[in-house]
Amino acid sequence: MGTQGELGILMLDTQFPRIPGDVGNAETFSFPVRKHMVKNAYTRRVVLEGDTSLLEPFLQAAEQLQAEGVSAITTSCGFLAMFQKELAARVHIPVFASSLLQVGLVGRELPEGQCVGIMTADSRNLDHRHFRGVGIEDIPKVVYGMEGTHFHHIFVEDTTDLDVELARQNMVDVAQRMVKEHPEVGAIVFECTNMPPYADAVSAAVGRPVYDITTLANYMMSSLGPRNF
């Protein structure tokens, strides 16, 4: 099954900074990664436009990563949940296109009456296409986005002037508003792969566990490596 322990990452065509914790920063992971940038897969096309003409380029890129020997494939944008089924069908190695795959597991772990809080780069455009892609249409959830924040300015508008502390405060503010308006939120899943650097701050601020692309990647890759007991 390829080079054990190497994760292939299908990358959007972006220019914003990728700090440790971001899926596009190799220091984020304890295992090797191999990145493949999908040309012209701009953030606006994936997040704002839901451009399905990008499906074939992503499928071809997945095939290329498989040929290069990776053990599993993920992506640098949770909105690619809409391509999960097609990507998984195209290659013969595990594919987890979006952190949103965790919503089903997390939702079923929560007590009755609680729901999953999804934090996303842009809540206006995260909809049934993405939920259907990862099979979470029927999971109780609320969705809050980063529209109108510095975080959105950087990671959706694809700009380079990242203020890490301001982005962290944006994340905490949105999470606090979500749990204040929906105290039934029992756990949080970050859709956006640029959000993990702020997971600890969010969890501490709202007292809920936080799941993101790094928790999913570590879970998936741990099943592919040696486990000596």
Side-chain angles (χ1 to χ4, degrees), residues 157-172:
E157 298 171 26
D158 194 19
T159 52
T160 59
D161 53 330
L162 173 62
D163 181 328
V164 173
E165 291 307 314
L166 181 54
R168 180 178 288 109
Q169 190 60 53
N170 291 161
M171 291 287 297
V172 168

Side-chain angles (χ1 to χ4, degrees), residues 110-133:
L110 294 175
E112 184 175 357
Q114 292 191 2
C115 72
V116 179
I118 297 175
M119 290 182 64
T120 177
D122 195 305
S123 64
R124 299 166 299 185
N125 294 287
L126 191 70
D127 58 30
H128 65 278
R129 298 167 299 168
H130 310 96
F131 301 150
R132 185 172 59 245

Side-chain angles (χ1 to χ4, degrees), residues 2-187:
T3 303
Q4 190 175 48
E6 187 173 40
L7 174 62
I9 307 177
L10 297 171
M11 301 291 297
L12 299 194
D13 191 345
T14 61
Q15 63 176 347
F16 53 71
R18 293 186 177 277
I19 64 174
D22 188 290
V23 75
N25 188 311
E27 295 179 13
T28 296
F29 303 106
S30 61
F31 41 80
V33 299
R34 181 183 295 265
K35 296 185 284 187
H36 184 114
M37 189 267 286
V38 179
K39 189 176 181 180
N40 299 323
Y42 305 124
T43 306
R44 61 172 175 77
R45 294 183 67 188
V46 176
V47 175
L48 302 182
E49 300 171 10
D51 189 345
T52 56
S53 71
L54 288 169
L55 174 58
E56 188 58 32
F58 273 99
L59 293 174
Q60 293 176 9
E63 288 181 320
Q64 180 62 38
L65 281 173
Q66 177 177 252
E68 292 174 5
V70 302
S71 298
I73 294 173
T74 190
T75 82
S76 73
C77 182
F79 275 74
L80 291 167
M82 63 182 178
F83 294 161
Q84 169 65 37
K85 294 177 182 177
E86 292 86 351
L87 285 165
R90 188 69 164 250
V91 295
H92 306 294
I93 55 177
V95 175
F96 49 104
S98 175
S99 176
L100 294 176
L101 283 162
Q102 295 169 108
V103 171
L105 176 62
V106 173
R108 291 180 176 92
E109 293 175 344
L110 294 175
E112 184 175 357
Q114 292 191 2
C115 72
V116 179
I118 297 175
M119 290 182 64
T120 177
D122 195 305
S123 64
R124 299 166 299 185
N125 294 287
L126 191 70
D127 58 30
H128 65 278
R129 298 167 299 168
H130 310 96
F131 301 150
R132 185 172 59 245
V134 292
I136 62 169
E137 307 99 306
D138 298 329
I139 302 296
K141 53 191 173 292
V142 296
V143 180
Y144 276 64
M146 303 303 296
E147 305 92 273
T149 67
H150 174 70
F151 184 100
H152 189 279
H153 167 68
I154 298 296
F155 298 112
V156 177
E157 298 171 26
D158 194 19
T159 52
T160 59
D161 53 330
L162 173 62
D163 181 328
V164 173
E165 291 307 314
L166 181 54
R168 180 178 288 109
Q169 190 60 53
N170 291 161
M171 291 287 297
V172 168
D173 290 346
V174 171
Q176 289 178 325
R177 178 164 55 88
M178 177 170 63
V179 299
K180 180 180 180 180
E181 295 174 357
H182 293 277
E184 71 274 19
V185 168

